[in-house]
Amino acid sequence: MNFSKILFAIFACFMAFAAVSAAPEPRWNPFKKLERVGQNIRDGIVKAQPAIQVVGEAATIYRGGK
């Protein structure tokens, strides 16, 4: 008899925890900001690539075309 009451109490607790919805995501997510910083760095490198090529070619011309 006591075993059935304990089993019922455990089952009731399990159902109560299962019915509770998860908390919403926090407004401040550090991983999103970190991802955005990485995207900005990548975009900056892509935009700077033509200028880096010009500097490399100028250095080659200055050294005498070796």
Side-chain angles (χ1 to χ4, degrees):
M1 192 75 158
N2 287 336
F3 180 72
S4 63
K5 289 181 182 179
I6 293 172
L7 186 63
F8 178 75
I10 292 172
F11 181 72
C13 289
F14 175 75
M15 291 305 293
F17 286 124
V20 174
S21 64
E25 290 188 29
R27 292 184 185 189
W28 185 75
N29 190 350
F31 296 111
K32 278 190 170 183
K33 292 188 182 256
L34 183 63
E35 180 182 4
R36 189 67 195 145
V37 168
Q39 288 174 351
N40 287 339
I41 292 171
R42 182 201 62 209
D43 293 344
I45 291 171
V46 168
K47 288 179 182 177
Q49 184 178 7
I52 293 170
Q53 286 176 347
V54 168
V55 169
E57 290 172 4
T60 304
I61 293 170
Y62 178 72
R63 289 186 202 140
K66 292 182 182 179

